[in-house]
Each structure stands twice: as C-alpha cells, then as structure tokens.
Amino acid sequence: MRINKNYGNIEETYLFSEVAERVRQFMAKDPGACLIKMGIGDVTRPLCQTAVKAMVAAAEEMGTEKGFHGYGPEQGYGFLRDEIADYYQRTSGVKLFSDEIFVSDGAKSDIGNILDIFDVDNVVAVTDPVYPVYVDTNVMAGRKVIKLSATADNGFLPMPYPGLQADIIYLCSPNNPTGAAYDKERLTKWVEYANAHGSVILFDAAYEAFISDPDVPRTIYAIEGARSCAIEFCSLSKTAGFTGTRCGYTVVPSGLIRDGVQLRKMWLRRQTTKFNGVAYPVQRAAAACLHEQGIAEIMENISYYKENAKIIADTFTELKWPFTGGKNSPYIWVQCPHGMKSWPFFDDLLSRANVICTPGAGFGDCGEGYVRFTSFNSRENTEEAMKRIREIYGQE
Ligand code: MLT
C-alpha cells in the first residue's frame, strides 16, 4: 500500500483551520476576551422566511405517502435547474439550458471534484493571492500550478500575457480574497485567451450577487465565446445564507468540447457515479430563494452586508490604509499598517482589538503584508470592530 505523497506538498492545515486554532489558543489564555469574527467568510443573517417556509413544507411533504421522495436526480431536480436558468436570464440576459446546470452541495466541493475530468498533466494557472482550494486540490492530485501575481499594480486583476501556457485557469470574480472584480473588457481577454489556446476557465462566481457595478459581469457567460471555454461554479452560500444548509450549482455548457468530448457529458458521468444529489427540502428552499419574493428577501441581507462593507472601507479610508474590494464584494483586502507582515498583524489585531481577520499570506506569496476582512457580521459588531481599530491604530 502506498499513500498519496502529494499531500506532503501542501500546508499541513487548511488556512481557516489554522486561523481557528490560533484563536482557540488565544481564548485559552484570555477566556474573557470579547472577540469579533471578521475572518472566515461565513454568513450571520438567518435564512429568509420564504426559504424556511419552502423547506418546512417540503419536509412535511416527505412525511406523506404521496409526497415522499427517495433518491433524487443526481443532477438536481428540474424545478431548481429551471429556476437557476431563469435567474441567469433575469439577472444577466444569459440563456442556459436546464441540462447544462448541475445542482450540488456547494461550490467548494464542485471546484475540487471537477478535476476528476481533467488529465493530471494539465498545467493549472491561478491568481495569487488565491482561494486555497484551487491550489490544494490540484497539488493533491499532482498537477503543476503556476501563479499569476495579483498586486496593486494590476488592480489585483492579473491578465493573460504573451507566452502564458495554461490548460486550466481559475478565475474568481468578484475575487476571494481581494474583492477585486473583472469588468467586461478584461474578462473578454481571458475568454479570448482560453478559446485561442484550447484552455478551460473554471470561473468561480460565488460572490456574483454582491456586484453593483453594471460593468462587472455576474456570470462569465455574459461574455461572447465563454460557452466554448468556461465552466462556472456558483453557490447559495453567500447569496442566500446557505453555508450551513449547503446548495450550489455548476454550469457546464454543451458547447464546451475538449479532445472531441463534451465536458458536460463527462461531468454528468462523474456526478451520477459519485454523487447522489442534494436533499429535496434544501432544493425546494433554494428554488424559493431564487424566485420573486425570495429574491427580494435575500437581496435585503446582501444590502445589509454591503453596508457593513462600506463601514469597513470608510474606516480604512480614514486611517489611510490602502485597500481594495468592498464595493462588489463582501471582502475588503487591506495592506497592514506600518509595513507589518500578515500573521504578525493578525496576532496584533487579535490581542489588542480582539478582532479576527484572515492573514493575506495564507492566500499566497502576493498576499504577504495584507489581511482580509469580511462584512458578514452584524452591524453592531462591524461598527464596534471598526471603532476599536480606529482607537488603537488611529493614534499611531
Ligand atoms: C472564505 O472565507 O474564504 C470562505 O468562507 C471560503 C469558502 O467559501 O469556502
């Protein structure tokens, strides 16, 4: 028996587990500390009432002879896939076919699982800083990963350059962790690159509902040519507060063909073999969220988080700390004060302000010297955290 030695090439602990461990150690020393969590991007607003009602009704239906559901379709129920297709049409004017949509338990799982359909010899390009899942899942499989620097000089939005050789390209827009978002013109350049090189873009749209800039596409399929080169991942986690409820979806367009094979068919084959679908009540709740009344309710929560993001951004503007994000995104990516490095500033903020952020260095080399704040907290906590930060660092 031999184990997968590639696991030796990744960090021993996942970034957010490391953050949680440091916080645990701090709490052990100072159990009375009143911590405010602005680290992991986990939502705090409750599920909207429309979702709750749909979930309860579906659970009751499951308790009846007539309404009981056993195994559902691996690809997701038709009612939810149709609702997702409608959502794309309404929000972006994009036409998707129901059989191109695959419902799952979240974008993170699909982003890792999709690699099953690609050869290990493909070269992978990621932006740096990067959501660690893109890198770790590929390194676990033994794939070569190249990094495209996202810095203040390129507005944290790396572009294809002459000589770039990448088979699989991960783009996340609005970006986790920087909050920067590709506009149409920049995204078009990536689509042109992928079509010209036969590459596949894995587009993470998990934060699309936070976009307010009309020039920033909410889906890569708003770009001409994307249907022949891109797979899109999205999730109700951040859109509708489903981080604990688990529901996401992946779009694999029929026109996406590599090596003469439709990737949609390969993904269907993979999912039908390894996945048994998402719980029926959860899919009913997800469909309700994407329908009229549900949309109105979930957008209220998103506006709430966006207002928090503005409070954070205004604080950093006042302190003259250079930052990006917060406008089309729940994340604010800020340079640490006094030239501090990410982990020392994380510790400083934790011990002096009792505020938890995420150290930028955990997202890649280009993240060193930065930290990420999330707006997924209550108004009260966000205001209190910013007050503490202004009082402590505003005097220095
Ligand atoms: C984050 O904090 O980056 C997110 O919560 C990660 C995720 O969605 O898995």
Side-chain angles (χ1 to χ4, degrees), residues 147-348:
K147 308 249 175 106
L148 312 174
S149 301
T151 61
D153 291 342
N154 58 19
F156 300 94
L157 297 166
M159 297 300 297
Y161 53 82
L164 173 66
Q165 292 297 335
D167 304 305
I168 298 172
I169 301 148
Y170 286 82
L171 296 178
C172 176
S173 178
N175 186 266
N176 179 11
T178 66
Y182 282 101
D183 61 15
K184 277 188 200 112
E185 198 187 323
R186 288 181 180 154
L187 208 47
T188 301
K189 293 221 163 64
W190 272 115
V191 167
E192 286 169 357
Y193 172 90
N195 278 321
H197 290 78
S199 325
V200 172
I201 296 174
L202 301 181
F203 191 77
D204 185 347
Y207 303 93
E208 58 83 25
F210 289 80
I211 295 173
S212 34
D213 188 339
D215 217 32
V216 172
R218 289 178 67 160
T219 162
I220 196 165
Y221 304 118
I223 306 295
E224 205 183 316
R227 286 182 57 87
S228 56
C229 67
I231 295 176
E232 181 160 298
F233 304 88
C234 202
S235 158
L236 276 90
S237 285
K238 315 296 155 88
T239 307
F242 271 48
T243 49
T245 311
R246 310 306 312 152
C247 193
Y249 48 89
T250 290
V251 180
V252 191
S254 301
L256 178 49
I257 295 167
R258 291 292 179 270
D259 280 344
V261 179
Q262 250 191 355
L263 298 193
R264 187 190 69 77
K265 285 197 178 151
M266 288 182 78
W267 183 238
L268 178 64
R269 185 70 176 85
R270 191 267 173 213
Q271 289 298 79
T272 48
T273 308
K274 296 196 183 181
F275 185 60
N276 256 342
V278 175
Y280 173 70
V282 170
Q283 293 197 52
R284 279 287 179 205
C289 283
L290 298 179
H291 202 73
E292 288 164 10
Q293 177 58 25
I295 287 282
E297 291 171 25
I298 63 174
M299 288 316 289
E300 248 177 62
N301 285 343
I302 285 173
S303 301
Y304 180 93
Y305 294 134
K306 279 172 74 86
E307 186 56 33
N308 285 348
K310 187 170 177 310
I311 292 168
I312 301 169
D314 287 350
T315 305
F316 297 156
T317 303
E318 194 185 313
L319 290 170
K320 299 197 171 53
W321 291 0
F323 71 92
T324 184
K327 188 175 168 223
N328 297 302
S329 154
Y331 297 128
I332 292 97
W333 182 247
V334 62
Q335 208 175 315
C336 306
H338 315 306
M340 283 176 95
K341 293 198 164 180
S342 306
W343 281 104
F345 181 59
F346 166 88
D347 289 332
D348 198 65

Side-chain angles (χ1 to χ4, degrees), residues 14 16 39-42 108 131 176 207 238 331 363 372 374:
Y14 184 56
F16 295 103
I40 191 163
D42 196 2
K108 180 174 170 179
Y131 177 41
N176 179 11
Y207 303 93
K238 315 296 155 88
Y331 297 128
F363 294 102
R372 189 194 74 177
T374 91

Side-chain angles (χ1 to χ4, degrees), residues 35-36 63 97 146 174 185 218 232 267 305 332 378 390 393:
L35 292 185
I36 299 180
F97 295 92
I146 54 175
E185 198 187 323
R218 289 178 67 160
E232 181 160 298
W267 183 238
Y305 294 134
I332 292 97
S378 66
R390 272 200 309 272
Y393 298 96

Side-chain angles (χ1 to χ4, degrees), residues 43-244:
V43 290
T44 53
R45 306 284 300 153
L47 291 177
C48 72
Q49 281 311 301
T50 295
V52 174
K53 280 184 200 144
M55 208 182 297
V56 169
E60 278 170 359
E61 199 188 329
M62 291 283 274
T64 65
E65 290 274 340
K66 219 168 134 221
F68 173 73
H69 289 76
Y71 291 125
E74 295 92 341
Q75 198 174 341
Y77 284 100
F79 63 79
L80 177 53
R81 287 186 284 128
D82 289 346
E83 201 62 64
I84 293 167
D86 265 15
Y87 179 72
Y88 272 80
Q89 185 73 58
R90 273 184 279 123
T91 54
S92 304
V94 162
K95 167 103 187 118
L96 293 181
F97 295 92
S98 182
D99 66 353
E100 297 175 321
I101 300 167
F102 296 77
V103 175
S104 73
D105 64 346
K108 180 174 170 179
S109 329
D110 279 5
I111 284 166
N113 294 336
I114 196 78
L115 297 173
D116 273 10
I117 69 170
F118 298 111
D119 190 274
V120 75
D121 285 337
N122 286 303
V123 174
V124 174
V126 300
T127 59
D128 175 3
V130 60
Y131 177 41
V133 174
Y134 309 156
V135 177
D136 291 357
T137 50
N138 278 290
V139 174
M140 282 170 183
R143 250 178 231 103
K144 183 179 166 202
V145 178
I146 54 175
K147 308 249 175 106
L148 312 174
S149 301
T151 61
D153 291 342
N154 58 19
F156 300 94
L157 297 166
M159 297 300 297
Y161 53 82
L164 173 66
Q165 292 297 335
D167 304 305
I168 298 172
I169 301 148
Y170 286 82
L171 296 178
C172 176
S173 178
N175 186 266
N176 179 11
T178 66
Y182 282 101
D183 61 15
K184 277 188 200 112
E185 198 187 323
R186 288 181 180 154
L187 208 47
T188 301
K189 293 221 163 64
W190 272 115
V191 167
E192 286 169 357
Y193 172 90
N195 278 321
H197 290 78
S199 325
V200 172
I201 296 174
L202 301 181
F203 191 77
D204 185 347
Y207 303 93
E208 58 83 25
F210 289 80
I211 295 173
S212 34
D213 188 339
D215 217 32
V216 172
R218 289 178 67 160
T219 162
I220 196 165
Y221 304 118
I223 306 295
E224 205 183 316
R227 286 182 57 87
S228 56
C229 67
I231 295 176
E232 181 160 298
F233 304 88
C234 202
S235 158
L236 276 90
S237 285
K238 315 296 155 88
T239 307
F242 271 48
T243 49

